[in-house]
Amino acid sequence: MGKHYQEELEALQLALVRTQMAMTGSDAQSDERVVIVLEGRDGAGKDGTIKRITEHLSVRATRVVALPKPSDRERAQWYFQRYVAHLPAAGEIVIFNRSWYNRAGVEVVMGFSTATEQEAFLRDAPDFERMLVESGIRLVKIWLDISKKEQAERLEARRTDPLKALKVSDMDKVAQAKWAEYSAARDTMLTRTHTPFAPWHVVRADDKKDARIAIIRHILHRIAPARIADTVDAPDPALLFAFDMAALEDGRLAR
């Protein structure tokens, strides 16, 4: 698997580079802008996936946004305001490592916002995303889903590996204890904010390498010109699929 994975990863990274060249070249359309939203449970593999996506892309045209908790001033703003400030200009790719969906996930489980604020978010997020898409932004939303057992093993690895010390957070301490609450918040978020113009895709991420390959393939099929996307295999539908209501009951989402 190791050699095959590396060869496949490098081929996909080359396709990403060619895609970015097409976005930033002299013949690129002026509104070529991409937003990728990566969400998932603690330990789901977002950081590693982002590293593989961005490894060979231009640092001038690629930004990863992972915002800290809001300041007092930001808490007094329109909720989406601090995210708008990080949206891409022409030729740019912006990856949100967690995003405005904090309000539908950790804030629900940990009580960091009120029920009224959370309901307003679920009502407003599709309208906000419609505006992004109608402005010409290509919006890709991916949920990384892992099993409770896999999460426990990854969080334990963080605690015992000195090189992963910077990944340890206070949220790790309750991720397993509040597993059911996070599952309920995930289900509500996917149900209320999956739309035809900004759909959710779910990747089963217990195997990190398989998940990374599936995610990059999916991104390329969403943002690359046809001449590039047509050279890339579609992601394995057993690993990555468009959210639908049946997934809440048929075992595709971890319980």
Side-chain angles (χ1 to χ4, degrees):
M1 174 63 184
K3 182 179 179 181
H4 176 74
Y5 163 74
Q6 194 60 39
E7 290 175 350
E8 177 69 11
L9 178 62
E10 289 177 1
L12 292 172
Q13 289 175 329
L14 177 57
L16 285 170
V17 169
R18 292 175 59 208
T19 297
Q20 191 165 62
M21 290 174 66
M23 290 177 60
T24 58
S26 59
D27 60 343
Q29 297 181 9
S30 61
D31 63 351
E32 285 287 311
R33 293 164 289 155
V34 171
V35 168
I36 299 170
V37 169
L38 288 180
E39 292 287 340
R41 297 181 188 267
D42 290 316
K46 296 180 294 298
D47 291 345
T49 297
I50 291 170
K51 181 178 179 180
R52 274 66 182 187
I53 293 170
T54 61
E55 189 170 6
H56 300 291
L57 296 182
S58 166
V59 295
R60 292 183 296 276
T62 310
R63 287 185 286 117
V64 177
V65 178
L67 298 182
K69 66 180 183 180
S71 66
D72 290 343
R73 184 176 187 277
E74 287 171 331
R75 278 192 286 268
Q77 296 173 345
W78 176 49
Y79 177 70
F80 295 99
Q81 188 166 335
R82 72 180 189 140
Y83 297 101
V84 170
H86 296 277
L87 293 175
E92 293 182 344
I93 298 172
V94 171
I95 302 174
F96 283 94
N97 183 355
R98 297 198 182 275
S99 64
W100 45 91
Y101 282 102
N102 275 340
R103 177 138 294 179
V106 65
E107 290 192 18
V108 173
V109 175
M110 301 303 295
F112 293 158
S113 54
T114 67
T116 299
E117 290 170 328
Q118 294 155 17
E119 176 59 29
F121 170 81
L122 293 170
R123 181 193 67 232
D124 295 343
D127 291 333
F128 173 66
E129 291 171 358
R130 182 191 294 277
M131 288 189 288
L132 298 185
V133 172
E134 289 180 347
S135 78
I137 288 175
R138 298 188 188 187
L139 177 60
V140 181
K141 302 190 306 188
I142 301 172
W143 172 265
L144 284 76
D145 206 57
I146 55 173
S147 66
K148 187 175 184 180
K149 178 177 180 293
E150 181 65 21
Q151 185 191 58
E153 292 174 357
R154 293 184 188 182
L155 295 181
E156 178 61 23
R158 286 183 182 181
R159 289 189 288 269
T160 57
D161 185 346
L163 292 177
K164 296 181 178 180
L166 292 174
K167 287 190 171 186
V168 177
S169 71
D170 291 339
M171 296 299 102
D172 292 353
K173 300 174 183 178
V174 298
Q176 288 274 291
K178 292 185 177 291
W179 176 270
E181 291 89 338
Y182 273 110
S183 295
R186 173 203 62 193
D187 293 353
T188 299
M189 180 195 77
L190 294 174
T191 300
R192 296 282 300 275
T193 63
H194 175 74
T195 62
F197 50 86
W200 278 106
H201 283 76
V202 177
V203 61
R204 303 176 74 173
D206 275 11
D207 186 304
K208 290 182 179 181
K209 292 181 177 180
D210 285 348
R212 291 167 187 163
I213 295 298
I215 288 169
I216 299 176
R217 286 177 176 174
H218 174 67
I219 290 171
L220 285 165
H221 277 274
R222 291 294 304 275
I223 73 170
R227 68 180 184 277
I228 298 173
D230 289 347
T231 69
V232 176
D233 290 339
D236 182 350
L239 285 178
L240 189 147
F241 57 92
F243 172 73
D244 60 78
M245 294 297 291
L248 300 176
E249 305 291 343
D250 63 14
R252 283 179 290 167
L253 288 168
R255 296 293 170 193

